[in-house]
Amino acid sequence: MTDPFMQAAIEEAKKGLAEGGIPIGSVLVIDGKIVGRGHNQRVQQGSAILHAEMHCLEQAGRLSPADYKKATLYSTLSPCDMCSGTALLYGIPTIVVGENKTFQGPEDYVRSRGVKLTILQDAECIQLMEDFIASSPELWYEDIGKE
Amino acid sequence: MTDPFMQAAIEEAKKGLAEGGIPIGSVLVIDGKIVGRGHNQRVQQGSAILHAEMHCLEQAGRLSPADYKKATLYSTLSPCDMCSGTALLYGIPTIVVGENKTFQGPEDYVRSRGVKLTILQDAECIQLMEDFIASSPELWYEDIGKE
């Protein structure tokens, strides 16, 4: 059975896919409650910075530094340099990741900065990305800045 | 005489200040031309993620991976974990920083990832931030996730 918060992140990823976007989703949880949800907005908003985690944090709005310190960030995919850096900026102590098979962010560095990072290696998350990368490689490379 | 691109970033910072916002500005330069400009949008847009560099990259729009590889990012202030991570995601090879006296991002790490990072220690950039931090410490702490 999937973690209910990861399930909510997967629902976000599927929303993104249904919109013609990149199927990565994220939720932010504080005190056992989802306070922000988001999914990649590269296609939908023509955005260069709204990865799922960024969209989620933006949707959560301006939180106090203390709020972030007790938050958990869920993402269907291993957070990239940008999204990892954002978690570090705000001192989010815990990150739960759907999978890191199709893409791996700077996990060792994030852990070295004191973050607890857990990889679920969820089959549904992997399938979403494998299908997407196979069908839209150029869009995917653009999203991760890869030539 | 200030670098004309840093001067453009300072103009962005001043725009932000005039709007009641946090006075940090940024421009993105490719082939000697400014392709994006931005300033911190925490106050103006109620944004948790639109630091100056993020706003600048978003205003530049969806660029190709190859474009980022020849870009220079200018910022009036040393880029934080989020903004540094974004430069790393896209492989931006050069960052020019107005000052790192009032705040210092993960400069050593950024350099260890191959980025050329130059600090100008510009007096006007320092003054803008010193005055702002003295007048609005809580807003500043929120912007950098500091309790």
Side-chain angles (χ1 to χ4, degrees):
Chain A
M1 197 162 69
T2 306
D3 178 312
F5 297 130
M6 184 52 69
Q7 199 54 56
I10 292 172
E11 290 312 313
E12 285 294 317
K14 288 179 178 172
K15 263 190 216 170
L17 189 64
E19 294 163 1
I22 303 177
I24 307 172
S26 174
V27 298
L28 186 71
V29 173
I30 296 179
D31 293 336
K33 239 182 82 179
I34 294 177
V35 299
R37 298 168 191 262
H39 51 274
N40 188 297
Q41 299 288 322
R42 181 168 298 272
V43 172
Q44 296 92 320
Q45 295 193 39
S47 176
I49 63 166
L50 290 173
H51 277 190
E53 301 90 328
M54 304 301 286
H55 188 229
C56 168
L57 289 164
E58 189 69 325
Q59 295 294 111
R62 286 172 58 182
L63 303 178
S64 75
D67 282 333
Y68 290 115
K69 305 293 180 289
K70 52 183 182 176
T72 299
L73 182 65
Y74 288 77
S75 177
T76 57
L77 184 64
S78 179
C80 76
D81 282 305
M82 171 173 67
C83 300
S84 296
T86 307
L88 292 172
L89 166 67
Y90 285 124
I92 295 173
T94 312
I95 303 177
V96 181
V97 172
E99 62 109 351
N100 68 356
K101 196 185 157 197
T102 65
F103 176 83
Q104 193 168 355
E107 295 172 2
D108 289 345
Y109 173 66
V110 170
R111 288 196 177 103
S112 80
R113 293 277 303 268
V115 176
K116 188 183 168 206
L117 195 145
T118 307
I119 315 287
L120 302 181
Q121 227 60 296
D122 178 272
E124 191 171 9
C125 293
I126 296 171
Q127 194 66 56
L128 275 165
M129 283 308 293
E130 283 184 344
D131 292 349
F132 170 72
I133 294 170
S135 71
S136 305
E138 282 190 21
L139 184 52
W140 173 235
Y141 289 152
E142 182 192 324
D143 202 52
I144 54 172
K146 189 175 160 181
E147 282 185 279
Chain B
M1 199 163 67
T2 307
D3 177 313
F5 296 131
M6 184 53 67
Q7 198 54 55
I10 293 172
E11 290 311 313
E12 285 294 318
K14 289 181 178 171
K15 262 190 215 171
L17 189 64
E19 294 163 2
I22 303 177
I24 307 171
S26 174
V27 300
L28 187 72
V29 173
I30 296 179
D31 294 335
K33 237 181 83 179
I34 294 177
V35 298
R37 298 169 192 260
H39 52 274
N40 189 297
Q41 299 288 322
R42 180 167 298 271
V43 171
Q44 296 92 321
Q45 294 193 40
S47 176
I49 63 168
L50 289 173
H51 277 189
E53 301 90 326
M54 305 301 285
H55 188 230
C56 168
L57 289 164
E58 188 69 325
Q59 295 294 111
R62 286 172 57 182
L63 304 179
S64 76
D67 283 333
Y68 290 114
K69 305 294 180 287
K70 53 183 180 173
T72 299
L73 182 64
Y74 287 78
S75 176
T76 56
L77 184 64
S78 178
C80 77
D81 282 305
M82 171 174 67
C83 300
S84 296
T86 307
L88 291 172
L89 166 67
Y90 286 123
I92 296 173
T94 312
I95 302 177
V96 181
V97 172
E99 62 109 350
N100 69 355
K101 195 185 158 198
T102 65
F103 175 84
Q104 192 169 356
E107 295 172 2
D108 289 345
Y109 174 65
V110 169
R111 288 195 176 103
S112 81
R113 294 277 304 269
V115 176
K116 187 186 170 204
L117 196 144
T118 307
I119 315 286
L120 302 182
Q121 227 60 295
D122 179 272
E124 190 171 12
C125 293
I126 296 171
Q127 193 66 56
L128 276 165
M129 284 309 292
E130 283 184 344
D131 291 349
F132 170 73
I133 294 170
S135 69
S136 305
E138 281 189 23
L139 184 53
W140 172 234
Y141 288 151
E142 182 193 322
D143 203 53
I144 55 173
K146 188 174 161 182
E147 282 185 277

